[in-house]
Amino acid sequence: TQLLEQSPQFLSIQEGENLTVYCNSSSVFSSLQWYRQEPGEGPVLLVTVVTGGEVKKLKRLTFQFGDARKDSSLHITAAQPGDTGLYLCAAAYSGAGSYQLTFGKGTKLSVIP
Amino acid sequence: NAGVTQTPKFQVLKTGQSMTLQCAQDMNHEYMSWYRQDPGMGLRLIHYSVGAGITDQGEVPNGYNVSRSTTEDFPLRLLSAAPSQTSVYFCASSYSKGRGTGFREKLFFGSGTQLSVL
């Protein structure tokens, strides 16, 4: 079983601050997804990154896939209260278990107005 | 647009009882899966299906059974509930099972079933 570590586990910041969430794997992954989950709801996909070194932007959110394809980061610029939620990374690996996603434990973000 | 529908939303069981969590999707998705979410543990895959009649085990399959007799439905059965199965359960589906070189399809999640086993 591949190990996917996400940090920090909790993050509480003031509105307007920047933040970065990290996702690291013990193995090379073929792709990585970032999801956001609000209380009482299922996760919703934000982005999928596939190519090493790839950077994708979604408004104030920037997603990066490490060159070695073992890490990824999510950076939020000028956080807003609406960004509050649980952020989950999910990695896919080729070979055995290739029809599965492995989720990190999540980063619970609170943005204080 | 119903998407992925899970029932019930909440359930309380006594140890040893059995029950079935229902999951239905109306998007003609090939792939369906069940996850459990526990505090500080993220989402862990229980079982998944790459098509009608085909199921396989995920990371934490013990104590759970599944079947996929139709494309639309993927029920999760607890044969003899235990307190360790107290959790929030999510069903998720995707259009494709992927090509076997690493799952990169978008997962659509239901809104979850909160299960408590006393």
Side-chain angles (χ1 to χ4, degrees):
Chain A
T1 302
Q2 288 84 357
L3 184 63
L4 193 64
E5 295 187 350
Q6 202 172 329
S7 62
Q9 189 175 358
F10 299 98
L11 197 52
S12 181
I13 62 171
Q14 296 289 328
E15 181 177 359
E17 292 183 343
N18 301 333
L19 66 112
T20 303
V21 177
Y22 300 93
C23 184
N24 294 282
S25 172
S26 57
S27 304
V28 173
F29 33 65
S30 61
S31 67
L32 189 119
Q33 299 180 347
W34 285 94
Y35 287 82
R36 179 169 169 262
Q37 183 180 18
E38 298 193 30
E41 298 295 329
V44 176
L45 180 69
L46 295 172
V47 76
T48 300
V49 285
V50 177
T51 305
E54 183 176 5
V55 177
K56 283 192 174 180
K57 293 191 175 184
L58 187 65
K59 295 183 180 178
R60 293 176 294 100
L61 279 60
T62 301
F63 304 86
Q64 188 156 5
F65 199 12
D67 291 339
R69 302 165 67 124
K70 296 179 69 175
D71 61 276
S72 180
S73 64
L74 157 60
H75 182 80
I76 301 179
T77 303
Q80 299 178 0
D83 296 326
T84 294
L86 180 67
Y87 290 82
L88 296 156
C89 64
Y93 301 91
S94 59
S98 57
Y99 296 118
Q100 304 180 32
L101 276 177
T102 299
F103 280 82
K105 294 181 180 181
T107 295
K108 190 171 183 180
L109 172 65
S110 297
V111 181
I112 303 166
Chain B
N1 295 332
V4 179
T5 302
Q6 288 184 238
T7 56
K9 184 73 173 175
F10 301 95
Q11 183 69 51
V12 179
L13 292 177
K14 294 182 179 179
T15 297
Q17 286 185 319
S18 63
M19 80 159 295
T20 299
L21 306 185
Q22 302 291 344
C23 175
Q25 51 89 10
D26 61 357
M27 298 173 283
N28 200 32
H29 281 177
E30 181 179 30
Y31 180 95
M32 296 187 75
S33 56
W34 276 101
Y35 288 87
R36 60 177 289 173
Q37 187 172 35
D38 303 292
M41 295 296 294
L43 286 160
R44 293 183 291 171
L45 181 65
I46 304 171
H47 286 284
Y48 66 96
S49 169
V50 297
I54 306 171
T55 63
D56 206 345
Q57 296 181 348
E59 181 185 355
V60 288
N62 292 340
Y64 308 95
N65 282 350
V66 292
S67 60
R68 183 98 180 267
S69 56
T70 67
T71 299
E72 294 78 20
D73 300 300
F74 191 45
L76 178 72
R77 297 183 185 86
L78 284 70
L79 299 179
S80 179
S84 61
Q85 294 178 305
T86 293
S87 187
V88 181
Y89 292 84
F90 287 98
C91 178
S93 70
S94 73
Y95 175 71
S96 167
K97 67 175 186 278
R99 295 172 290 177
T101 56
F103 190 90
R104 59 183 63 178
E105 316 306 316
K106 175 181 179 179
L107 279 176
F108 292 79
F109 284 84
S111 58
T113 295
Q114 188 168 326
L115 176 67
S116 295
V117 183
L118 306 178

